[in-house]
Amino acid sequence: MLSEWEKLAREAATKNEAYESYLLRLTEAEVTTRTANAIASRIRAAGFPVVKDLDTFDFSAVASLPKQKVLEMSRGAWVEEHSNCCLIGNAGTGKTHLAIALGLAVCRLGRRVKFVTAAGLVTQLEEAQQQHRLERVLSQLDRVDLLVIDELGYLSFSRSGAELLFQVFADRYERRSVLVTSNLAFSEWGSVFQGDRMTAALLDRLTHRCEIFEMNGESYRFRESMKTKKHKDPKKAN
Ligand code: ADP
Ligand code: MG
Protein backbone atom coordinates (compact mmCIF):
# COMPACT_ATOMS: atom_id res chain seq x y z
CA MET A 1 0.00 0.00 0.00
CA LEU A 2 2.86 2.28 0.89
CA SER A 3 4.50 1.87 -2.49
CA GLU A 4 1.30 2.08 -4.53
CA TRP A 5 -0.96 4.62 -2.85
CA GLU A 6 0.44 7.76 -4.49
CA LYS A 7 0.33 6.39 -8.01
CA LEU A 8 -3.18 4.97 -7.56
CA ALA A 9 -4.36 8.19 -5.91
CA ARG A 10 -3.10 10.23 -8.89
CA GLU A 11 -4.88 7.87 -11.29
CA ALA A 12 -8.05 8.07 -9.20
CA ALA A 13 -7.91 11.88 -9.23
CA THR A 14 -7.52 12.09 -13.02
CA LYS A 15 -10.32 9.58 -13.57
CA ASN A 16 -12.49 11.16 -10.92
CA GLU A 17 -12.76 7.75 -9.30
CA ALA A 18 -14.85 7.29 -6.16
CA TYR A 19 -12.87 6.95 -2.93
CA GLU A 20 -14.31 3.47 -2.26
CA SER A 21 -13.11 2.27 -5.64
CA TYR A 22 -9.62 3.71 -5.06
CA LEU A 23 -9.47 2.06 -1.66
CA LEU A 24 -10.54 -1.26 -3.14
CA ARG A 25 -7.80 -1.16 -5.79
CA LEU A 26 -5.22 -0.24 -3.18
CA THR A 27 -6.19 -3.05 -0.82
CA GLU A 28 -6.33 -5.49 -3.71
CA ALA A 29 -2.75 -4.60 -4.61
CA GLU A 30 -1.74 -5.20 -0.98
CA VAL A 31 -3.49 -8.58 -0.83
CA THR A 32 -1.94 -9.70 -4.14
CA THR A 33 1.56 -8.80 -2.96
CA ARG A 34 1.06 -10.47 0.41
CA THR A 35 -0.18 -13.66 -1.21
CA ALA A 36 2.79 -13.76 -3.59
CA ASN A 37 5.22 -13.14 -0.71
CA ALA A 38 3.60 -15.86 1.38
CA ILE A 39 3.92 -18.38 -1.46
CA ALA A 40 7.55 -17.44 -2.09
CA SER A 41 8.31 -17.96 1.59
CA ARG A 42 6.43 -21.30 1.61
CA ILE A 43 8.62 -22.45 -1.30
CA ARG A 44 11.80 -21.33 0.47
CA ALA A 45 10.76 -23.05 3.68
CA ALA A 46 10.00 -26.30 1.86
CA GLY A 47 13.70 -26.78 1.15
CA PHE A 48 13.45 -28.32 -2.29
CA PRO A 49 16.90 -29.40 -3.51
CA VAL A 50 16.15 -27.92 -6.94
CA VAL A 51 13.06 -26.45 -8.50
CA LYS A 52 11.31 -28.84 -10.87
CA ASP A 53 7.88 -28.21 -12.23
CA LEU A 54 5.16 -30.24 -13.88
CA ASP A 55 5.46 -28.31 -17.13
CA THR A 56 8.95 -29.72 -17.68
CA PHE A 57 7.88 -33.27 -16.89
CA ASP A 58 7.57 -35.48 -19.97
CA PHE A 59 4.65 -37.78 -19.23
CA SER A 60 5.20 -39.74 -22.42
CA ALA A 61 8.45 -41.05 -20.93
CA VAL A 62 6.60 -42.91 -18.15
CA ALA A 63 3.85 -44.92 -19.75
CA SER A 64 2.59 -46.30 -16.44
CA LEU A 65 1.87 -42.83 -15.05
CA PRO A 66 -1.71 -41.53 -15.42
CA LYS A 67 -1.17 -37.92 -16.47
CA GLN A 68 -4.69 -36.69 -15.71
CA LYS A 69 -4.54 -38.11 -12.20
CA VAL A 70 -1.19 -36.42 -11.54
CA LEU A 71 -2.50 -33.09 -12.85
CA GLU A 72 -5.54 -33.46 -10.65
CA MET A 73 -3.25 -34.02 -7.66
CA SER A 74 -1.49 -30.75 -8.39
CA ARG A 75 -4.78 -29.08 -7.41
CA GLY A 76 -4.15 -30.29 -3.89
CA ALA A 77 -7.48 -31.78 -2.75
CA TRP A 78 -5.62 -34.84 -1.46
CA VAL A 79 -3.68 -32.66 0.98
CA GLU A 80 -6.92 -31.11 2.24
CA GLU A 81 -8.16 -34.65 2.81
CA HIS A 82 -4.93 -35.72 4.56
CA SER A 83 -4.34 -38.57 2.18
CA ASN A 84 -0.96 -39.72 0.91
CA CYS A 85 0.98 -40.40 -2.24
CA CYS A 86 3.67 -42.95 -3.07
CA LEU A 87 5.93 -42.90 -6.10
CA ILE A 88 7.56 -46.28 -6.52
CA GLY A 89 10.09 -47.17 -9.18
CA ASN A 90 13.69 -47.68 -10.14
CA ALA A 91 16.32 -44.94 -10.31
CA GLY A 92 16.09 -42.12 -12.80
CA THR A 93 12.42 -42.47 -13.62
CA GLY A 94 11.45 -39.00 -12.42
CA LYS A 95 10.22 -39.74 -8.89
CA THR A 96 12.11 -36.85 -7.28
CA HIS A 97 11.15 -34.54 -10.15
CA LEU A 98 7.48 -35.37 -9.69
CA ALA A 99 7.67 -35.19 -5.89
CA ILE A 100 9.14 -31.67 -6.11
CA ALA A 101 6.61 -30.60 -8.73
CA LEU A 102 3.67 -31.79 -6.62
CA GLY A 103 5.22 -30.20 -3.52
CA LEU A 104 5.58 -26.90 -5.37
CA ALA A 105 1.97 -27.04 -6.51
CA VAL A 106 0.87 -27.53 -2.90
CA CYS A 107 3.07 -24.58 -1.79
CA ARG A 108 1.36 -22.43 -4.40
CA LEU A 109 -1.97 -23.26 -2.79
CA GLY A 110 -0.60 -21.60 0.32
CA ARG A 111 0.06 -24.84 2.18
CA ARG A 112 3.15 -25.69 4.23
CA VAL A 113 5.41 -28.27 2.62
CA LYS A 114 8.70 -29.79 3.72
CA PHE A 115 11.01 -31.79 1.47
CA VAL A 116 13.43 -34.22 3.13
CA THR A 117 15.26 -37.37 2.19
CA ALA A 118 14.43 -40.39 4.34
CA ALA A 119 18.05 -40.64 5.48
CA GLY A 120 18.21 -36.89 6.20
CA LEU A 121 15.02 -37.02 8.23
CA VAL A 122 16.18 -39.99 10.30
CA THR A 123 19.51 -38.30 11.02
CA GLN A 124 17.70 -35.13 12.03
CA LEU A 125 15.38 -37.07 14.35
CA GLU A 126 18.23 -39.06 15.90
CA GLU A 127 20.23 -35.90 16.56
CA ALA A 128 17.19 -34.22 18.04
CA GLN A 129 16.64 -37.20 20.31
CA GLN A 130 20.23 -37.13 21.54
CA GLN A 131 19.95 -33.41 22.22
CA HIS A 132 16.63 -33.78 24.03
CA ARG A 133 14.72 -31.70 21.52
CA LEU A 134 12.83 -34.43 19.72
CA GLU A 135 9.46 -33.08 20.84
CA ARG A 136 10.26 -29.72 19.31
CA VAL A 137 11.35 -31.20 15.98
CA LEU A 138 8.28 -33.43 15.86
CA SER A 139 5.97 -30.54 16.55
CA GLN A 140 7.67 -28.53 13.78
CA LEU A 141 7.02 -31.41 11.40
CA ASP A 142 3.46 -31.56 12.62
CA ARG A 143 2.81 -28.04 11.39
CA VAL A 144 3.69 -29.07 7.84
CA ASP A 145 0.68 -29.94 5.68
CA LEU A 146 2.65 -32.10 3.25
CA LEU A 147 5.85 -33.91 4.20
CA VAL A 148 7.75 -35.14 1.14
CA ILE A 149 10.09 -38.02 2.04
CA ASP A 150 12.38 -38.78 -0.85
CA GLU A 151 14.52 -41.87 -1.42
CA LEU A 152 13.15 -44.30 1.08
CA GLY A 153 15.01 -47.56 0.59
CA TYR A 154 18.46 -46.54 -0.57
CA LEU A 155 19.74 -46.68 3.00
CA SER A 156 18.46 -48.84 5.80
CA PHE A 157 18.12 -47.48 9.31
CA SER A 158 19.07 -48.58 12.77
CA ARG A 159 16.23 -49.98 14.83
CA SER A 160 15.85 -46.69 16.72
CA GLY A 161 16.02 -44.67 13.48
CA ALA A 162 13.28 -46.81 11.96
CA GLU A 163 11.17 -46.35 15.08
CA LEU A 164 11.53 -42.57 14.89
CA LEU A 165 10.49 -42.57 11.25
CA PHE A 166 7.58 -44.84 12.10
CA GLN A 167 6.49 -42.34 14.74
CA VAL A 168 6.39 -39.56 12.13
CA PHE A 169 4.16 -41.68 9.87
CA ALA A 170 1.94 -42.70 12.76
CA ASP A 171 1.57 -39.09 13.98
CA ARG A 172 0.53 -37.91 10.55
CA TYR A 173 -1.96 -40.67 9.89
CA GLU A 174 -5.33 -39.13 8.90
CA ARG A 175 -4.16 -35.71 10.08
CA ARG A 176 -1.50 -34.63 7.58
CA SER A 177 -0.23 -35.83 4.21
CA VAL A 178 2.94 -37.66 3.28
CA LEU A 179 4.45 -38.16 -0.15
CA VAL A 180 7.03 -40.93 -0.26
CA THR A 181 9.31 -41.89 -3.12
CA SER A 182 11.02 -45.27 -3.06
CA ASN A 183 12.98 -47.57 -5.27
CA LEU A 184 11.57 -50.51 -3.30
CA ALA A 185 8.32 -52.34 -3.86
CA PHE A 186 6.19 -52.42 -0.70
CA SER A 187 7.06 -56.08 -0.21
CA GLU A 188 10.70 -55.04 0.27
CA TRP A 189 10.14 -52.29 2.83
CA GLY A 190 10.85 -54.72 5.65
CA SER A 191 14.53 -54.48 4.78
CA VAL A 192 14.53 -50.76 5.60
CA PHE A 193 12.28 -50.82 8.63
CA GLN A 194 13.68 -53.91 10.27
CA GLY A 195 10.93 -56.07 11.53
CA ASP A 196 7.85 -57.19 9.72
CA ARG A 197 5.44 -55.98 12.39
CA MET A 198 6.55 -52.37 12.19
CA THR A 199 6.63 -52.49 8.39
CA ALA A 200 3.13 -53.90 8.25
CA ALA A 201 1.81 -51.29 10.68
CA LEU A 202 3.50 -48.52 8.74
CA LEU A 203 2.28 -49.65 5.33
CA ASP A 204 -1.19 -50.06 6.74
CA ARG A 205 -1.29 -46.40 7.76
CA LEU A 206 0.55 -45.01 4.77
CA THR A 207 -1.48 -46.80 2.13
CA HIS A 208 -4.90 -46.58 3.79
CA ARG A 209 -5.75 -43.48 1.80
CA CYS A 210 -3.03 -43.18 -0.76
CA GLU A 211 -2.47 -42.60 -4.44
CA ILE A 212 0.20 -45.05 -5.58
CA PHE A 213 2.06 -44.44 -8.80
CA GLU A 214 4.40 -47.03 -10.21
CA MET A 215 7.20 -45.42 -12.17
CA ASN A 216 9.21 -48.25 -13.55
CA GLY A 217 11.08 -48.20 -16.78
CA GLU A 218 14.28 -47.08 -18.32
CA SER A 219 16.14 -44.32 -16.51
CA TYR A 220 15.37 -40.92 -18.02
CA ARG A 221 18.85 -39.76 -17.10
CA PHE A 222 20.38 -42.74 -18.87
CA ARG A 223 18.24 -42.21 -21.94
CA GLU A 224 19.08 -38.52 -22.11
CA SER A 225 22.81 -39.20 -21.83
CA MET A 226 22.59 -41.85 -24.57
CA LYS A 227 20.86 -39.31 -26.81
CA THR A 228 23.62 -36.78 -26.24
CA LYS A 229 26.27 -39.39 -26.99
CA LYS A 230 24.57 -40.42 -30.21
CA HIS A 231 24.36 -36.78 -31.15
CA LYS A 232 28.07 -36.22 -30.58
CA ASP A 233 29.24 -39.41 -32.19
CA PRO A 234 26.69 -40.81 -34.62
CA LYS A 235 29.07 -43.47 -35.97
CA LYS A 236 29.73 -45.06 -32.57
CA ALA A 237 26.06 -45.22 -31.66
CA ASN A 238 25.38 -47.46 -34.64
P1 ADP B 1 14.47 -40.54 -9.60
O1 ADP B 1 14.19 -39.68 -8.42
O2 ADP B 1 13.34 -41.44 -9.98
O3 ADP B 1 15.76 -41.31 -9.48
P2 ADP B 1 14.78 -38.00 -10.92
O4 ADP B 1 13.46 -37.37 -10.65
O5 ADP B 1 15.92 -37.52 -10.09
O6 ADP B 1 14.66 -39.59 -10.86
O7 ADP B 1 15.12 -37.83 -12.46
C1 ADP B 1 16.46 -37.81 -12.97
C2 ADP B 1 16.62 -36.66 -13.93
O8 ADP B 1 15.84 -36.88 -15.10
C3 ADP B 1 16.16 -35.34 -13.35
O9 ADP B 1 16.96 -34.30 -13.87
C4 ADP B 1 14.74 -35.20 -13.87
O10 ADP B 1 14.36 -33.83 -14.00
C5 ADP B 1 14.82 -35.89 -15.21
N1 ADP B 1 13.59 -36.60 -15.54
C6 ADP B 1 13.23 -37.83 -15.15
N2 ADP B 1 12.07 -38.21 -15.67
C7 ADP B 1 11.65 -37.17 -16.42
C8 ADP B 1 10.51 -36.94 -17.24
N3 ADP B 1 9.56 -37.86 -17.40
N4 ADP B 1 10.40 -35.74 -17.87
C9 ADP B 1 11.37 -34.81 -17.73
N5 ADP B 1 12.48 -34.97 -16.99
C10 ADP B 1 12.63 -36.13 -16.33
MG1 MG C 1 15.27 -39.43 -6.71
Side-chain angles (χ1 to χ4, degrees):
M1 285 175 101
L2 192 63
S3 68
E4 290 297 305
W5 75 271
E6 276 184 307
K7 186 176 118 245
L8 291 184
R10 268 198 309 277
E11 283 172 19
T14 32
K15 284 194 270 173
N16 226 349
E17 193 179 8
Y19 180 72
E20 289 84 348
S21 154
Y22 157 70
L23 197 59
L24 178 65
R25 288 205 294 135
L26 189 59
T27 44
E28 274 172 354
E30 173 76 17
V31 169
T32 307
T33 310
R34 280 189 187 205
T35 310
N37 288 347
I39 289 171
S41 91
R42 290 272 189 271
I43 293 172
R44 271 196 307 277
F48 298 115
V50 281
V51 172
K52 299 263 175 175
D53 225 329
L54 277 179
D55 59 4
T56 56
F57 191 80
D58 174 10
F59 283 89
S60 69
V62 212
S64 61
L65 198 64
K67 180 176 179 182
Q68 286 313 318
K69 187 74 213 170
V70 173
L71 294 181
E72 184 199 312
M73 289 189 72
S74 71
R75 290 191 284 276
W78 64 290
V79 175
E80 304 293 322
E81 292 159 8
H82 314 137
S83 54
N84 302 323
C85 177
C86 289
L87 309 176
I88 313 287
N90 51 290
T93 50
K95 299 182 300 296
T96 300
H97 186 140
L98 204 56
I100 294 172
L102 286 173
L104 258 182
V106 173
C107 283
R108 290 187 183 123
L109 298 168
R111 293 281 165 193
R112 287 192 175 86
V113 177
K114 184 81 193 160
F115 182 103
V116 290
T117 61
L121 178 61
V122 168
T123 306
Q124 194 196 350
L125 294 170
E126 282 176 332
E127 279 174 11
Q129 192 172 43
Q130 280 155 19
Q131 296 161 3
H132 307 289
R133 45 181 192 86
L134 182 62
E135 285 305 314
R136 203 164 70 215
V137 172
L138 287 175
S139 77
Q140 279 164 1
L141 285 175
D142 203 49
R143 283 199 287 275
V144 169
D145 299 294
L146 170 63
L147 180 63
V148 181
I149 303 180
D150 197 24
E151 297 191 344
L152 189 92
Y154 284 119
L155 298 171
S156 57
F157 313 115
S158 66
R159 176 84 198 173
S160 66
E163 277 165 8
L164 287 167
L165 194 56
F166 175 80
Q167 193 180 341
V168 171
F169 280 93
D171 285 352
R172 300 184 74 80
Y173 176 60
E174 292 200 316
R175 298 178 46 250
R176 304 262 186 264
S177 295
V178 192
L179 188 164
V180 180
T181 83
S182 180
N183 60 314
L184 298 179
F186 290 134
S187 59
E188 299 167 318
W189 281 31
S191 62
V192 182
F193 279 99
Q194 323 208 359
D196 291 340
R197 282 234 310 274
M198 192 157 59
T199 312
L202 181 129
L203 282 174
D204 199 43
R205 286 167 177 78
L206 177 66
T207 59
H208 174 206
R209 288 166 66 214
C210 186
E211 207 60 65
I212 299 162
F213 297 118
E214 278 193 39
M215 299 175 62
N216 277 307
E218 204 183 347
S219 160
Y220 192 87
R221 266 190 289 253
F222 181 70
R223 224 170 354 165
E224 289 294 291
S225 64
M226 287 312 281
K227 261 194 225 160
T228 340
K229 278 200 193 103
K230 274 187 196 164
H231 203 70
K232 277 186 196 142
D233 193 352
K235 258 188 299 193
K236 245 189 206 155
N238 297 326

